[in-house]
């Protein structure tokens, strides 16, 4: 019997889901819903911020000068490399072109309902099975009546870089300068000659601080980490976290006070699944989504999965593995543990994170744990592991980045085998 699957979102994760579902048409029938008029998700750059022509919040967080902070050699889906003529660190335009080429190669466009928003996903429980009612509406005509269809499974691929998180800071309501989240940052000229505080020094906070510095008078990169031992532009200065703000100043946690013109929050994003009904029994508290087995499959309703919620990962290879894991569960290739055992596994994973000193909000943050995770789900579902060279190069880039966040993207790499790569600096390749 054919399994009907609704895929929500046509970004990288949704396209990967479609690619693997539609090449198994003897088992699956897939329909993808995408509220944009084109594929690409967060990789669709838009000069505009706020809302689009349909009154929906603009999804993308791309800024004009963004380049990937990982090389294309590790970013690629395992079965679809980037063009060889591109440098290792590519612009967002190249990423979008890559996803469009991926969709063309696997003939995915015919399965996508563009300019369509999903308003409700609701389980229908029967004695022997669960099906899903998906209600959606075309955005092209405001008088169109919503349509509801039934599916056997739902794969949620709506991303997690679109709903900004802004921490509570005393005095923020009286500050008279600009207040902006990185979601709405587009180009440095917006901060020409200003004194800017960038809050947050994860990957995007570092990159945006450097980008803003090309136009700003002064940039204060604020974070609670030990000072980064890296080269920085002359007008970028590291500061501790923000204690409070006044009308025109910022007070840091060490008591120092500086006059500033703008606050730019590089503080991350919140998970958001507004279309999932309360009957889905999925909760998000302090950025922990439960109940999910392997950060992926709903333990009460295993035919509902969330692809791509993990943070601090090499994304496309991870999406590839997660999609294959879900497909193996849906078509019976892999038998899932009992709900009780899945919940126990989830609790054990969360507990181990707390014991390592990770805060609760890092429930889905991976970092170095991603490689064991990727291998584990590959082994459980019986598909090929990601080649070891991906981890090796990922780690090398991390080390390079830590030393010089300004220039690390000028280096190029080339994979030479499943376990090897070379570094290309000008005309001098090194292993």
């Amino acid at each position: 019997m054919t399994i009907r699957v609704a895929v929500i979102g046509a970004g990288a994760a949704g396209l990967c889901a479609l690619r693997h579902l539609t090449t198994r048409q003897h088992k699956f029938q897939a329909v993808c819903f995408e509220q944009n008029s084109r594929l690409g998700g967060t990789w669709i750059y838009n000069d505009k911020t706020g809302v689009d022509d349909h009154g929906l919040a603009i999804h993308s967080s791309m800024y004009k000068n963004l380049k990937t902070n990982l090389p294309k050699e590790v970013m690629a889906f395992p079965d679809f490399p980037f063009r060889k003529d591109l440098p290792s660190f590519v612009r967002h335009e190249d990423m979008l072109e890559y996803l469009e080429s991926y969709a063309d190669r696997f003939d995915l466009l015919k399965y996508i309902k563009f300019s369509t928003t999903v308003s409700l996903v609701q389980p229908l429980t029967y004695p022997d099975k669960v099906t899903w009612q998906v209600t959606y509406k075309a955005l092209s005509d405001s008088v169109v009546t919503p349509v509801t269809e039934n599916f056997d499974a739902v794969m949620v691929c709506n991303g997690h870089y679109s709903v900004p998180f802004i921490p509570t800071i005393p005095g923020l309501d009286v500050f008279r300068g600009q207040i902006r989240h990185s979601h709405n940052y587009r180009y440095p000229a917006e901060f020409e000659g200003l004194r800017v505080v960038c809050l947050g020094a994860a990957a995007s906070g570092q990159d945006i601080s450097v980008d803003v510095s090309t136009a700003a008078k002064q940039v204060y990169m604020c974070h609670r980490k030990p000072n980064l031992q890296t080269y920085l532009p002359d007008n970028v200065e590291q500061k501790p976290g923000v204690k409070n703000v006044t009308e025109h100043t910022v007070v840091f946690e060490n008591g120092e006070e500086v006059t500033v013109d703008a606050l730019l929050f590089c503080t991350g994003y919140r998970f958001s699944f507004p279309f999932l009904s309360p009957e889905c029994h999925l909760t998000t508290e302090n950025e922990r989504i439960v109940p999910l087995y392997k950060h992926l499959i709903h333990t009460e309703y295993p035919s509902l999965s969330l692809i791509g919620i993990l943070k601090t990962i090499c994304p496309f290879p991870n999406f590839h593995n997660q999609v294959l894991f879900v497909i193996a569960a849906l078509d019976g290739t892999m038998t899932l543990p009992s709900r009780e055992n899945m919940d126990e596994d989830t609790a054990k994973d969360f507990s181990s994170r707390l014991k390592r000193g990770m805060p609760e909000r890092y429930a889905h943050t991976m970092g170095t744990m991603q490689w064991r995770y990727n291998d584990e789900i590959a082994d459980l579902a019986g598909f090929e592991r990601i080649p070891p060279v991906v981890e090796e190069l990922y780690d090398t880039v991390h080390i390079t980045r830590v030393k010089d966040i300004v220039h690390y993207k000028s280096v190029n790499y080339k994979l030479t085998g499943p376990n090897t790569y070379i570094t290309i600096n000008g005309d001098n390749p090194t292993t």
Side-chain angles (χ1 to χ4, degrees):
M1 188 177 80
T2 302
I3 301 169
R4 226 172 156 240
V5 184
V7 177
I8 300 177
L15 293 173
C16 184
L18 273 186
R19 176 259 184 275
H20 291 287
L21 289 168
T22 58
T23 52
R24 295 162 170 80
Q25 294 200 22
H26 60 293
K27 293 185 177 179
F28 296 101
Q29 180 188 26
V31 180
C32 179
F33 302 94
E34 171 54 54
Q35 72 176 21
N36 272 302
S37 60
R38 60 187 302 187
L39 61 82
T42 197
W43 294 101
I44 304 172
Y45 175 78
N46 192 334
D47 271 329
K48 290 180 61 178
T49 59
V51 297
D52 63 18
D53 295 339
H54 300 289
L56 298 174
I58 288 176
H59 182 80
S60 177
S61 298
M62 288 295 108
Y63 56 92
K64 186 73 173 178
N65 298 326
L66 183 140
K67 287 185 178 181
T68 58
N69 54 33
L70 292 172
K72 73 180 193 300
E73 289 75 18
V74 303
M75 282 282 288
F77 291 117
D79 55 358
F80 193 75
F82 279 80
R83 290 186 355 236
K84 292 182 179 179
D85 62 304
L86 292 171
S88 285
F89 296 89
V90 301
R91 295 181 56 82
H92 58 79
E93 297 96 332
D94 299 315
M95 289 298 302
L96 184 58
E97 189 273 336
Y98 170 79
L99 292 175
E100 290 171 338
S101 297
Y102 181 81
D104 288 343
R105 167 64 180 82
F106 297 109
D107 197 19
L108 304 181
L109 292 181
K110 62 187 179 185
Y111 303 105
I112 305 173
K113 292 182 180 292
F114 289 108
S115 299
T116 300
T117 182
V118 173
S119 58
L120 188 65
V121 173
Q122 190 164 11
L124 296 178
T125 305
Y126 301 97
D128 59 338
K129 66 175 181 177
V130 173
T131 62
W132 298 90
Q133 280 192 336
V134 176
T135 301
Y136 61 92
K137 181 179 179 179
L139 296 172
S140 56
D141 188 344
S142 60
V143 300
V144 171
T145 303
V147 176
T148 298
E149 291 188 41
N150 286 350
F151 292 86
D152 301 300
V154 175
M155 298 173 75
V156 177
C157 306
N158 68 328
H160 57 85
Y161 294 113
S162 61
V163 180
F165 167 68
I166 296 181
T168 300
I169 297 177
L172 196 60
D173 57 331
V174 302
F175 182 68
R176 297 209 172 175
Q178 292 187 45
I179 299 175
R180 194 174 315 184
H181 191 276
S182 58
H183 174 65
N184 295 317
Y185 172 69
R186 292 296 181 264
Y187 27 80
E190 299 172 294
F191 297 91
E192 183 73 41
L194 302 184
R195 294 157 296 189
V196 183
V197 165
C198 288
L199 292 90
S204 64
Q206 293 175 25
D207 286 349
I208 289 175
S209 292
V210 172
D211 195 49
V212 171
S213 75
T214 61
K217 178 180 180 181
Q218 178 70 45
V219 176
Y220 299 106
M221 184 167 59
C222 303
H223 58 89
R224 292 191 171 103
K225 305 175 182 179
N227 261 14
L228 306 174
Q229 301 303 307
T230 178
Y231 168 82
L232 289 171
D234 291 341
N235 62 339
V236 177
E237 186 177 351
Q238 297 184 68
K239 294 292 184 182
V242 174
K243 180 181 178 183
N244 66 279
V245 301
T246 70
E247 288 185 351
H248 302 287
T249 68
V250 164
V251 181
F252 301 113
E253 290 177 340
N254 63 358
E256 181 183 1
E257 185 172 9
V258 297
T259 300
V260 298
D261 305 297
L263 302 177
L264 182 53
F265 285 87
C266 303
T267 46
Y269 297 84
R270 294 189 181 278
F271 294 115
S272 179
F273 313 101
F275 44 81
L276 296 182
S277 70
E279 292 79 10
C280 291
H281 299 162
L282 191 81
T283 62
T284 303
E285 184 174 350
N286 202 13
E287 294 307 286
R288 183 190 181 205
I289 306 171
V290 292
L292 292 181
Y293 176 59
K294 303 302 180 190
H295 308 273
L296 183 57
I297 291 178
H298 197 304
T299 63
E300 182 181 355
Y301 300 122
S303 52
L304 173 63
S305 57
L306 276 61
I307 310 293
I309 68 165
L310 291 175
K311 300 179 180 181
T312 316
I313 57 166
C314 194
F316 293 9
N318 177 257
F319 300 164
H320 172 90
N321 274 21
Q322 288 194 326
V323 165
L324 293 181
F325 186 79
V326 169
I327 285 176
L330 290 177
D331 70 10
T333 302
M334 171 186 66
T335 301
L336 290 171
S338 66
R339 178 182 175 185
E340 180 182 14
N341 287 343
M342 287 193 288
D343 286 335
E344 183 180 344
D345 182 89
T346 301
K348 182 178 178 181
D349 175 82
F350 185 58
S351 176
S352 70
R353 291 165 180 270
L354 299 181
K355 289 177 181 176
R356 294 174 63 169
M358 300 174 71
E360 290 186 9
R361 68 180 185 277
Y362 281 30
H364 305 297
T365 298
M366 299 304 282
T368 58
M369 295 183 289
Q370 66 181 297
W371 312 112
R372 181 180 60 81
Y373 169 83
N374 282 330
D375 287 348
E376 181 183 20
I377 63 174
D379 293 347
L380 286 171
F383 57 84
E384 188 175 348
R385 289 182 172 190
I386 295 169
V389 68
V390 175
E391 178 181 357
E392 292 287 332
L393 182 49
Y394 182 98
D395 290 345
T396 294
V397 171
H398 174 73
I399 293 169
T400 306
R401 178 193 185 93
V402 166
K403 293 177 180 178
D404 189 347
I405 64 173
V406 176
H407 302 112
Y408 78 100
K409 296 181 183 181
S410 63
V411 180
N412 289 295
Y413 303 93
K414 180 181 179 181
L415 302 186
T416 54
N419 297 288
T420 57
Y421 67 91
I422 59 173
T423 301
I424 305 171
N425 293 310
D427 296 324
N428 301 311
T430 59
T431 56

